[in-house]
Amino acid sequence: MEFRSASHLVGKTVSEKRSMIENDLPAGRFSVACIGPAGENLVRFANVMFQDRAAGRGGAGAVLGAKNMLGIAVSGSKRVDEADSPQLKEVLRNAFQTIKNDPVSIGFKENGTIGDIPSSNDGGDWPTKNWQSNSWGKGAVLFDRYNEHNFIKPYGCYRGCTISCGRKVHVGEGPFKTPEHGGAEYESISCFTAFVLNEDMDAAVHSTYLCNEFGIDTISTASAIAFAIESAENGILPEQLEGGLHLRWGEAASLPVLVKMIARREGVGDLLADGVRQAAKQIGHGAEAFAIHVKGLEGPAHDPRSGKALAISYGTGNRGMCHIHPVEAMAWDSGKMTWGLTDYGLTDPDTVDRWAEEGKGKEVKLLQDGLSLPDILGTCKFFMYAGITIDHWAAMLSALTGIDFDGKRLLEISERVYNLQRLFNLREGLSKADDMVPQRVCSQPAFGKYQNSPECAIHDYQKMLREYYIARGWDPETGIPTKDTLRRLGIS
Ligand code: SF4
């Protein structure tokens, strides 16, 4: 291991840093992770970037920035030891076949995650205008526009990925001209269109490209912009901060400008760079109502009003309102997916009404435990969406390590991890109050397809939360893990 001076990298974008680091190393042998200017400026939602893929959401880029660590290059020359190679090959062959033939896998390869936009819009799973609605009606039109003008080809994070959900995209001409890059993800594009009522797909693609180049989380960035627009609209954003910007819904031209201002902490960007919770505290005058977050993490582009289990998943997410950690409640409740978990006690989603609240809290425990596993194993979660179950993981892990794993054991490991994270949060001062979701996210949509659907609102969040605490073996009133639960999980 070797430390090198990075002073020549200061202020460079992600792709600049990456190629400068690569140029200093033997060709083709290193993988590079780095932060962008946003991480250097300690933007609270700065990413660690792996080319166009991001370790995003929780602000890891700011942590590296705070340590003056601008990049890491890694190389290896050995293979991973395998306890039972023939068995591992056999298990993997089966897994690849499963993934290859799975309709979700085929859909992801064909349309990428952005292909979910029309159905999310239609199903009320598409937060719109800073969560004032859950459906905008423009999903299909925007997706078609992207397909005709921005899409180039699919790609995978690594050569062996059988799904290849990534998209190479660009903007060929005009004010938002953008070179080919890996982008146009469901979350990123939803946030830079529906969140801010922007109908210009080129502006959305360009803005998300800039987020990658500056090393900043697309979801939190667009959320912060939506928050600023609504604050300005309501006359509570200090005028000097607006500084000649057009902070208006649908104002495409201001989006890339604001992305850069946030990454550089300039003007209103400095306020927004601390996230919507902090920004609302600074502004006051009721700005909290426009700050959509849990535990300080801005909400992603899935809406619990269209499948109530998601509300609990968001509220109790250990890192807040996150689409990755984990958001499977929606895919179970509304999308009717199971990931093989019905064998371990998950209720068959085909028997479940997505608008109902009763019983949803208790299901979230198993959904969180089951779908945190890819994070724990260090694999891509989409393999589980493409047919891989915990039994597949157990078989792979057993063949790889020679240690006997089964699904039950993996679920217990995951439960232990979830509880440890909870304990970490409690130690740092979080409490039941931090498990609440914003009022707006529970309210009947103000406009759109579901405007007149009272079943869309969340009526008794507390009841679902209590159900969840009990299912977890936590105190039903405080949400603190009981001693019995910790003992059962082997946490001393
Ligand atoms: S590893 Fe996962 S995210 Fe990456 S291309 Fe494959 S399926 Fe998509």
Side-chain angles (χ1 to χ4, degrees):
M1 185 168 70
E2 180 188 330
F3 287 94
R4 292 190 182 181
S5 167
S7 53
H8 61 300
L9 302 175
V10 172
K12 303 292 183 197
T13 63
V14 165
S15 58
E16 287 168 345
K17 275 200 186 83
R18 183 186 162 82
S19 58
M20 288 167 80
I21 294 170
E22 282 175 346
N23 286 342
D24 281 346
L25 297 165
R29 285 193 35 212
F30 283 79
S31 277
V32 174
C34 67
I35 60 171
E40 293 173 39
N41 294 328
L42 309 188
V43 175
R44 289 191 189 211
F45 40 89
N47 296 340
V48 178
M49 298 298 298
F50 303 80
Q51 198 160 358
D52 282 320
R53 290 307 207 194
R57 305 262 53 205
V63 177
L64 260 65
K67 297 176 190 304
N68 287 322
M69 178 181 272
L70 304 193
I72 303 170
V74 183
S75 176
S77 57
K78 292 179 184 158
R79 287 185 62 84
V80 173
D81 283 340
E82 297 162 358
D84 186 343
S85 294
Q87 177 63 14
L88 184 62
K89 271 198 191 80
E90 180 60 25
V91 174
L92 288 174
R93 201 176 298 120
N94 285 340
F96 281 129
Q97 277 311 321
T98 303
I99 294 170
K100 216 170 132 197
N101 300 324
D102 189 272
V104 172
S105 167
I106 295 164
F108 269 165
K109 186 171 261 171
E110 205 169 300
N111 293 317
T113 57
I114 189 175
D116 287 349
I117 283 183
S119 59
S120 287
N121 174 104
D122 198 46
D125 185 25
W126 212 36
T128 297
K129 202 181 182 187
N130 201 25
W131 297 76
Q132 290 182 39
S133 178
N134 59 348
S135 171
W136 190 17
K138 298 182 191 281
V141 174
L142 284 167
F143 180 60
D144 289 347
R145 173 71 178 65
Y146 145 86
N147 257 335
E148 280 163 30
H149 293 273
N150 306 113
F151 175 63
I152 300 173
K153 61 181 179 197
Y155 83 102
C157 295
Y158 62 97
R159 230 178 313 155
C161 177
T162 33
I163 300 179
S164 295
C165 72
R167 306 288 98 175
K168 289 286 182 193
V169 294
H170 74 151
V171 178
E173 55 189 7
F176 303 113
K177 195 164 190 257
T178 311
E180 179 177 330
H181 65 285
E185 294 292 330
Y186 169 87
E187 290 286 342
S188 307
I189 294 298
S190 297
C191 296
F192 274 95
T193 54
F195 272 28
V196 291
L197 291 193
N198 164 42
E199 297 182 46
D200 190 324
M201 184 55 83
D202 287 353
V205 170
H206 186 63
S207 299
T208 59
Y209 163 75
L210 289 178
C211 286
N212 284 4
E213 281 293 296
F214 283 85
I216 193 170
D217 186 76
T218 54
I219 298 170
S220 288
T221 303
S223 296
I225 293 171
F227 164 84
I229 293 170
E230 194 162 4
S231 298
E233 185 184 41
N234 283 274
I236 58 171
L237 189 72
E239 230 169 76
Q240 77 275 12
L241 281 182
E242 208 173 330
L245 282 166
H246 288 287
L247 285 174
R248 303 286 178 271
W249 299 113
E251 187 72 39
S254 65
L255 296 175
V257 177
L258 282 158
V259 170
K260 290 181 196 167
M261 288 177 78
I262 291 171
R264 293 174 178 146
R265 283 190 173 271
E266 292 169 352
V268 72
D270 191 26
L271 175 84
L272 301 177
D274 284 333
V276 297
R277 179 172 65 180
Q278 285 296 114
K281 269 191 199 146
Q282 291 262 327
I283 294 173
H285 303 288
E288 289 81 8
F290 313 141
I292 309 304
H293 72 90
V294 172
K295 300 180 177 75
L297 187 69
E298 292 77 10
H302 287 286
D303 199 310
R305 287 170 290 195
S306 66
K308 304 293 172 56
L310 181 58
I312 292 298
S313 195
Y314 277 158
T316 62
N318 283 319
R319 68 174 188 181
M321 207 167 170
C322 185
H323 70 299
I324 281 291
H325 198 62
V327 77
E328 280 58 53
M330 175 60 68
W332 167 77
D333 208 345
S334 179
K336 309 300 177 194
M337 299 190 82
T338 61
W339 310 277
L341 289 172
T342 44
D343 292 343
Y344 295 87
L346 186 72
T347 300
D348 178 355
D350 285 330
T351 65
V352 166
D353 173 8
R354 69 172 169 139
W355 307 113
E357 295 179 11
E358 183 96 33
K360 295 291 172 73
K362 80 175 170 48
E363 302 289 338
V364 170
K365 175 203 176 278
L366 189 51
L367 290 164
Q368 287 174 336
D369 289 347
L371 275 296
S372 292
L373 276 173
D375 290 344
I376 295 166
L377 295 166
T379 72
C380 176
K381 175 170 282 183
F382 285 159
F383 298 138
M384 287 193 82
Y385 277 75
I388 298 302
T389 65
I390 53 171
D391 296 323
H392 286 104
W393 295 136
M396 286 180 215
L397 211 50
S398 300
L400 180 66
T401 62
I403 302 167
D404 208 15
F405 286 95
D406 59 18
K408 197 164 163 277
R409 185 171 177 192
L410 287 183
L411 282 173
E412 189 185 300
I413 289 169
S414 197
E415 187 182 2
R416 184 178 303 121
V417 169
Y418 219 84
N419 275 269
L420 272 169
Q421 291 174 335
R422 177 78 173 180
L423 293 174
F424 178 93
N425 279 351
L426 294 173
R427 187 192 68 188
E428 297 302 313
L430 273 69
S431 68
K432 181 183 178 184
D434 297 288
D435 290 342
M436 298 303 133
V437 289
Q439 183 51 44
R440 179 173 284 178
V441 173
C442 298
S443 306
Q444 200 166 320
F447 62 91
K449 183 177 171 185
Y450 297 91
Q451 182 182 10
N452 299 314
S453 305
E455 68 272 24
C456 239
I458 294 167
H459 300 283
D460 197 346
Y461 178 79
Q462 290 287 350
K463 194 171 168 193
M464 287 196 286
L465 187 62
R466 192 182 157 83
E467 257 182 18
Y468 171 84
Y469 285 167
I470 292 169
R472 274 247 171 258
W474 296 351
D475 183 285
E477 306 306 324
T478 63
I480 296 173
T482 61
K483 286 212 160 69
D484 280 350
T485 298
L486 297 183
R487 205 173 295 123
R488 177 173 61 76
L489 294 170
I491 300 172
S492 61

PDB file of all heavy atoms in Angstrom, residues 53 99 105 108 113 155-158 160-167 185 379-383 386, ligand 1:
ATOM      1  N   ARG A  53     -20.556   4.867 -11.993  1.00  0.00           N
ATOM      2  CA  ARG A  53     -21.346   4.237 -10.934  1.00  0.00           C
ATOM      3  C   ARG A  53     -20.992   4.899  -9.610  1.00  0.00           C
ATOM      4  O   ARG A  53     -19.826   5.228  -9.369  1.00  0.00           O
ATOM      5  CB  ARG A  53     -21.070   2.729 -10.871  1.00  0.00           C
ATOM      6  CG  ARG A  53     -21.623   1.937 -12.050  1.00  0.00           C
ATOM      7  CD  ARG A  53     -23.085   2.201 -12.263  1.00  0.00           C
ATOM      8  NE  ARG A  53     -23.778   1.095 -12.901  1.00  0.00           N
ATOM      9  CZ  ARG A  53     -24.994   1.207 -13.435  1.00  0.00           C
ATOM     10  NH1 ARG A  53     -25.627   2.361 -13.434  1.00  0.00           N
ATOM     11  NH2 ARG A  53     -25.578   0.168 -13.973  1.00  0.00           N
ATOM     12  N   ILE A  99     -31.082 -16.229 -14.114  1.00  0.00           N
ATOM     13  CA  ILE A  99     -31.079 -14.790 -14.409  1.00  0.00           C
ATOM     14  C   ILE A  99     -31.380 -14.547 -15.892  1.00  0.00           C
ATOM     15  O   ILE A  99     -32.199 -13.694 -16.238  1.00  0.00           O
ATOM     16  CB  ILE A  99     -29.712 -14.164 -14.043  1.00  0.00           C
ATOM     17  CG1 ILE A  99     -29.491 -14.218 -12.530  1.00  0.00           C
ATOM     18  CG2 ILE A  99     -29.628 -12.723 -14.528  1.00  0.00           C
ATOM     19  CD1 ILE A  99     -28.073 -13.857 -12.093  1.00  0.00           C
ATOM     20  N   SER A 105     -34.985  -9.616 -15.783  1.00  0.00           N
ATOM     21  CA  SER A 105     -33.646  -9.463 -16.331  1.00  0.00           C
ATOM     22  C   SER A 105     -33.707  -9.008 -17.791  1.00  0.00           C
ATOM     23  O   SER A 105     -32.993  -8.087 -18.214  1.00  0.00           O
ATOM     24  CB  SER A 105     -32.931 -10.807 -16.203  1.00  0.00           C
ATOM     25  OG  SER A 105     -31.767 -10.829 -16.946  1.00  0.00           O
ATOM     26  N   PHE A 108     -34.788  -5.381 -17.883  1.00  0.00           N
ATOM     27  CA  PHE A 108     -33.714  -4.458 -17.489  1.00  0.00           C
ATOM     28  C   PHE A 108     -32.702  -4.292 -18.614  1.00  0.00           C
ATOM     29  O   PHE A 108     -32.196  -3.208 -18.865  1.00  0.00           O
ATOM     30  CB  PHE A 108     -32.999  -4.968 -16.236  1.00  0.00           C
ATOM     31  CG  PHE A 108     -33.591  -4.464 -14.932  1.00  0.00           C
ATOM     32  CD1 PHE A 108     -33.261  -5.067 -13.733  1.00  0.00           C
ATOM     33  CD2 PHE A 108     -34.462  -3.385 -14.901  1.00  0.00           C
ATOM     34  CE1 PHE A 108     -33.787  -4.617 -12.527  1.00  0.00           C
ATOM     35  CE2 PHE A 108     -34.989  -2.915 -13.710  1.00  0.00           C
ATOM     36  CZ  PHE A 108     -34.651  -3.541 -12.517  1.00  0.00           C
ATOM     37  N   THR A 113     -33.182   0.634 -15.983  1.00  0.00           N
ATOM     38  CA  THR A 113     -34.105   0.968 -14.881  1.00  0.00           C
ATOM     39  C   THR A 113     -35.040   2.098 -15.285  1.00  0.00           C
ATOM     40  O   THR A 113     -36.165   2.176 -14.800  1.00  0.00           O
ATOM     41  CB  THR A 113     -33.317   1.372 -13.620  1.00  0.00           C
ATOM     42  OG1 THR A 113     -32.448   2.470 -13.941  1.00  0.00           O
ATOM     43  CG2 THR A 113     -32.493   0.207 -13.088  1.00  0.00           C
ATOM     44  N   TYR A 155     -25.051  -1.269 -21.137  1.00  0.00           N
ATOM     45  CA  TYR A 155     -23.731  -1.709 -20.680  1.00  0.00           C
ATOM     46  C   TYR A 155     -23.870  -2.283 -19.270  1.00  0.00           C
ATOM     47  O   TYR A 155     -24.866  -2.053 -18.580  1.00  0.00           O
ATOM     48  CB  TYR A 155     -22.701  -0.571 -20.725  1.00  0.00           C
ATOM     49  CG  TYR A 155     -22.719   0.363 -19.530  1.00  0.00           C
ATOM     50  CD1 TYR A 155     -21.763   0.257 -18.513  1.00  0.00           C
ATOM     51  CD2 TYR A 155     -23.686   1.355 -19.415  1.00  0.00           C
ATOM     52  CE1 TYR A 155     -21.775   1.115 -17.434  1.00  0.00           C
ATOM     53  CE2 TYR A 155     -23.705   2.212 -18.327  1.00  0.00           C
ATOM     54  CZ  TYR A 155     -22.747   2.093 -17.339  1.00  0.00           C
ATOM     55  OH  TYR A 155     -22.753   2.929 -16.253  1.00  0.00           O
ATOM     56  N   GLY A 156     -22.863  -3.055 -18.858  1.00  0.00           N
ATOM     57  CA  GLY A 156     -22.861  -3.632 -17.511  1.00  0.00           C
ATOM     58  C   GLY A 156     -21.792  -2.987 -16.659  1.00  0.00           C
ATOM     59  O   GLY A 156     -20.795  -2.491 -17.173  1.00  0.00           O
ATOM     60  N   CYS A 157     -21.985  -3.009 -15.333  1.00  0.00           N
ATOM     61  CA  CYS A 157     -20.982  -2.446 -14.421  1.00  0.00           C
ATOM     62  C   CYS A 157     -19.651  -3.165 -14.599  1.00  0.00           C
ATOM     63  O   CYS A 157     -18.593  -2.590 -14.406  1.00  0.00           O
ATOM     64  CB  CYS A 157     -21.411  -2.615 -12.972  1.00  0.00           C
ATOM     65  SG  CYS A 157     -22.878  -1.709 -12.525  1.00  0.00           S
ATOM     66  N   TYR A 158     -19.713  -4.438 -14.918  1.00  0.00           N
ATOM     67  CA  TYR A 158     -18.504  -5.218 -15.174  1.00  0.00           C
ATOM     68  C   TYR A 158     -18.807  -6.176 -16.312  1.00  0.00           C
ATOM     69  O   TYR A 158     -19.974  -6.442 -16.626  1.00  0.00           O
ATOM     70  CB  TYR A 158     -18.042  -5.948 -13.911  1.00  0.00           C
ATOM     71  CG  TYR A 158     -19.027  -6.956 -13.380  1.00  0.00           C
ATOM     72  CD1 TYR A 158     -18.905  -8.304 -13.677  1.00  0.00           C
ATOM     73  CD2 TYR A 158     -20.102  -6.551 -12.605  1.00  0.00           C
ATOM     74  CE1 TYR A 158     -19.825  -9.231 -13.198  1.00  0.00           C
ATOM     75  CE2 TYR A 158     -21.028  -7.465 -12.129  1.00  0.00           C
ATOM     76  CZ  TYR A 158     -20.878  -8.802 -12.425  1.00  0.00           C
ATOM     77  OH  TYR A 158     -21.791  -9.696 -11.971  1.00  0.00           O
ATOM     78  N   GLY A 160     -18.841  -9.332 -16.843  1.00  0.00           N
ATOM     79  CA  GLY A 160     -19.608 -10.565 -16.705  1.00  0.00           C
ATOM     80  C   GLY A 160     -21.068 -10.384 -16.315  1.00  0.00           C
ATOM     81  O   GLY A 160     -21.763 -11.373 -16.136  1.00  0.00           O
ATOM     82  N   CYS A 161     -21.538  -9.172 -16.172  1.00  0.00           N
ATOM     83  CA  CYS A 161     -22.919  -9.001 -15.696  1.00  0.00           C
ATOM     84  C   CYS A 161     -23.916  -9.486 -16.747  1.00  0.00           C
ATOM     85  O   CYS A 161     -23.959  -8.974 -17.862  1.00  0.00           O
ATOM     86  CB  CYS A 161     -23.220  -7.551 -15.334  1.00  0.00           C
ATOM     87  SG  CYS A 161     -24.947  -7.373 -14.841  1.00  0.00           S
ATOM     88  N   THR A 162     -24.728 -10.459 -16.343  1.00  0.00           N
ATOM     89  CA  THR A 162     -25.680 -11.028 -17.296  1.00  0.00           C
ATOM     90  C   THR A 162     -26.872 -10.110 -17.530  1.00  0.00           C
ATOM     91  O   THR A 162     -27.613 -10.305 -18.488  1.00  0.00           O
ATOM     92  CB  THR A 162     -26.235 -12.363 -16.769  1.00  0.00           C
ATOM     93  OG1 THR A 162     -26.314 -12.287 -15.355  1.00  0.00           O
ATOM     94  CG2 THR A 162     -25.408 -13.532 -17.198  1.00  0.00           C
ATOM     95  N   ILE A 163     -27.077  -9.139 -16.669  1.00  0.00           N
ATOM     96  CA  ILE A 163     -28.254  -8.275 -16.837  1.00  0.00           C
ATOM     97  C   ILE A 163     -27.917  -7.043 -17.683  1.00  0.00           C
ATOM     98  O   ILE A 163     -28.644  -6.692 -18.593  1.00  0.00           O
ATOM     99  CB  ILE A 163     -28.817  -7.859 -15.457  1.00  0.00           C
ATOM    100  CG1 ILE A 163     -29.228  -9.106 -14.662  1.00  0.00           C
ATOM    101  CG2 ILE A 163     -30.002  -6.919 -15.636  1.00  0.00           C
ATOM    102  CD1 ILE A 163     -29.766  -8.819 -13.271  1.00  0.00           C
ATOM    103  N   SER A 164     -26.813  -6.385 -17.352  1.00  0.00           N
ATOM    104  CA  SER A 164     -26.416  -5.167 -18.081  1.00  0.00           C
ATOM    105  C   SER A 164     -27.539  -4.135 -18.132  1.00  0.00           C
ATOM    106  O   SER A 164     -27.999  -3.740 -19.201  1.00  0.00           O
ATOM    107  CB  SER A 164     -25.962  -5.506 -19.500  1.00  0.00           C
ATOM    108  OG  SER A 164     -24.797  -6.281 -19.463  1.00  0.00           O
ATOM    109  N   CYS A 165     -27.946  -3.688 -16.975  1.00  0.00           N
ATOM    110  CA  CYS A 165     -29.042  -2.704 -16.930  1.00  0.00           C
ATOM    111  C   CYS A 165     -28.545  -1.290 -17.207  1.00  0.00           C
ATOM    112  O   CYS A 165     -29.342  -0.375 -17.379  1.00  0.00           O
ATOM    113  CB  CYS A 165     -29.749  -2.755 -15.588  1.00  0.00           C
ATOM    114  SG  CYS A 165     -28.776  -2.063 -14.233  1.00  0.00           S
ATOM    115  N   GLY A 166     -27.219  -1.066 -17.235  1.00  0.00           N
ATOM    116  CA  GLY A 166     -26.703   0.287 -17.447  1.00  0.00           C
ATOM    117  C   GLY A 166     -27.012   0.806 -18.842  1.00  0.00           C
ATOM    118  O   GLY A 166     -27.191   0.032 -19.784  1.00  0.00           O
ATOM    119  N   ARG A 167     -27.079   2.123 -18.963  1.00  0.00           N
ATOM    120  CA  ARG A 167     -27.378   2.765 -20.263  1.00  0.00           C
ATOM    121  C   ARG A 167     -26.262   3.725 -20.637  1.00  0.00           C
ATOM    122  O   ARG A 167     -25.862   4.563 -19.822  1.00  0.00           O
ATOM    123  CB  ARG A 167     -28.669   3.596 -20.202  1.00  0.00           C
ATOM    124  CG  ARG A 167     -29.925   2.895 -19.708  1.00  0.00           C
ATOM    125  CD  ARG A 167     -30.497   1.912 -20.683  1.00  0.00           C
ATOM    126  NE  ARG A 167     -30.070   0.568 -20.366  1.00  0.00           N
ATOM    127  CZ  ARG A 167     -30.487  -0.533 -21.001  1.00  0.00           C
ATOM    128  NH1 ARG A 167     -31.338  -0.428 -21.996  1.00  0.00           N
ATOM    129  NH2 ARG A 167     -30.046  -1.736 -20.650  1.00  0.00           N
ATOM    130  N   GLU A 185     -30.456   6.717 -15.206  1.00  0.00           N
ATOM    131  CA  GLU A 185     -31.074   5.727 -14.313  1.00  0.00           C
ATOM    132  C   GLU A 185     -32.485   6.184 -13.921  1.00  0.00           C
ATOM    133  O   GLU A 185     -32.780   7.390 -13.910  1.00  0.00           O
ATOM    134  CB  GLU A 185     -30.235   5.567 -13.042  1.00  0.00           C
ATOM    135  CG  GLU A 185     -28.869   4.968 -13.265  1.00  0.00           C
ATOM    136  CD  GLU A 185     -28.940   3.506 -13.692  1.00  0.00           C
ATOM    137  OE1 GLU A 185     -29.896   2.816 -13.297  1.00  0.00           O
ATOM    138  OE2 GLU A 185     -28.042   3.072 -14.426  1.00  0.00           O
ATOM    139  N   THR A 379     -22.891  -8.046  -3.435  1.00  0.00           N
ATOM    140  CA  THR A 379     -23.328  -8.348  -4.805  1.00  0.00           C
ATOM    141  C   THR A 379     -24.363  -7.316  -5.235  1.00  0.00           C
ATOM    142  O   THR A 379     -24.789  -6.488  -4.436  1.00  0.00           O
ATOM    143  CB  THR A 379     -23.987  -9.741  -4.898  1.00  0.00           C
ATOM    144  OG1 THR A 379     -25.263  -9.668  -4.276  1.00  0.00           O
ATOM    145  CG2 THR A 379     -23.155 -10.805  -4.241  1.00  0.00           C
ATOM    146  N   CYS A 380     -24.766  -7.402  -6.487  1.00  0.00           N
ATOM    147  CA  CYS A 380     -25.776  -6.473  -6.989  1.00  0.00           C
ATOM    148  C   CYS A 380     -27.169  -6.970  -6.614  1.00  0.00           C
ATOM    149  O   CYS A 380     -27.517  -8.124  -6.830  1.00  0.00           O
ATOM    150  CB  CYS A 380     -25.679  -6.346  -8.509  1.00  0.00           C
ATOM    151  SG  CYS A 380     -26.982  -5.301  -9.186  1.00  0.00           S
ATOM    152  N   LYS A 381     -27.962  -6.044  -6.081  1.00  0.00           N
ATOM    153  CA  LYS A 381     -29.323  -6.390  -5.656  1.00  0.00           C
ATOM    154  C   LYS A 381     -30.205  -6.842  -6.815  1.00  0.00           C
ATOM    155  O   LYS A 381     -31.129  -7.632  -6.638  1.00  0.00           O
ATOM    156  CB  LYS A 381     -29.928  -5.168  -4.980  1.00  0.00           C
ATOM    157  CG  LYS A 381     -31.371  -5.341  -4.592  1.00  0.00           C
ATOM    158  CD  LYS A 381     -31.843  -4.223  -3.724  1.00  0.00           C
ATOM    159  CE  LYS A 381     -31.350  -4.431  -2.313  1.00  0.00           C
ATOM    160  NZ  LYS A 381     -31.849  -3.401  -1.402  1.00  0.00           N
ATOM    161  N   PHE A 382     -29.910  -6.348  -8.012  1.00  0.00           N
ATOM    162  CA  PHE A 382     -30.795  -6.676  -9.148  1.00  0.00           C
ATOM    163  C   PHE A 382     -30.797  -8.168  -9.478  1.00  0.00           C
ATOM    164  O   PHE A 382     -31.711  -8.656 -10.108  1.00  0.00           O
ATOM    165  CB  PHE A 382     -30.422  -5.862 -10.385  1.00  0.00           C
ATOM    166  CG  PHE A 382     -30.872  -4.427 -10.284  1.00  0.00           C
ATOM    167  CD1 PHE A 382     -30.275  -3.444 -11.055  1.00  0.00           C
ATOM    168  CD2 PHE A 382     -31.905  -4.057  -9.440  1.00  0.00           C
ATOM    169  CE1 PHE A 382     -30.683  -2.124 -10.972  1.00  0.00           C
ATOM    170  CE2 PHE A 382     -32.323  -2.737  -9.349  1.00  0.00           C
ATOM    171  CZ  PHE A 382     -31.701  -1.774 -10.115  1.00  0.00           C
ATOM    172  N   PHE A 383     -29.766  -8.890  -9.050  1.00  0.00           N
ATOM    173  CA  PHE A 383     -29.802 -10.339  -9.278  1.00  0.00           C
ATOM    174  C   PHE A 383     -30.975 -10.965  -8.539  1.00  0.00           C
ATOM    175  O   PHE A 383     -31.559 -11.939  -8.996  1.00  0.00           O
ATOM    176  CB  PHE A 383     -28.476 -10.993  -8.863  1.00  0.00           C
ATOM    177  CG  PHE A 383     -27.300 -10.484  -9.661  1.00  0.00           C
ATOM    178  CD1 PHE A 383     -26.097 -10.198  -9.048  1.00  0.00           C
ATOM    179  CD2 PHE A 383     -27.410 -10.277 -11.024  1.00  0.00           C
ATOM    180  CE1 PHE A 383     -25.019  -9.714  -9.782  1.00  0.00           C
ATOM    181  CE2 PHE A 383     -26.341  -9.798 -11.776  1.00  0.00           C
ATOM    182  CZ  PHE A 383     -25.141  -9.511 -11.148  1.00  0.00           C
ATOM    183  N   ALA A 386     -33.954 -10.578 -10.454  1.00  0.00           N
ATOM    184  CA  ALA A 386     -33.928 -11.419 -11.660  1.00  0.00           C
ATOM    185  C   ALA A 386     -33.909 -12.895 -11.303  1.00  0.00           C
ATOM    186  O   ALA A 386     -33.333 -13.707 -12.032  1.00  0.00           O
ATOM    187  CB  ALA A 386     -32.716 -11.048 -12.508  1.00  0.00           C
TER     188      ALA A 386
HETATM  189  S1  SF4 B   1     -24.179  -5.284 -11.783  1.00  0.00           S
HETATM  190 FE1  SF4 B   1     -26.306  -4.760 -11.297  1.00  0.00          FE
HETATM  191  S2  SF4 B   1     -26.455  -2.538 -11.574  1.00  0.00           S
HETATM  192 FE2  SF4 B   1     -24.604  -3.240 -12.639  1.00  0.00          FE
HETATM  193  S3  SF4 B   1     -25.240  -3.566 -14.761  1.00  0.00           S
HETATM  194 FE3  SF4 B   1     -25.394  -5.534 -13.675  1.00  0.00          FE
HETATM  195  S4  SF4 B   1     -27.533  -5.594 -12.973  1.00  0.00           S
HETATM  196 FE4  SF4 B   1     -27.100  -3.482 -13.510  1.00  0.00          FE
END
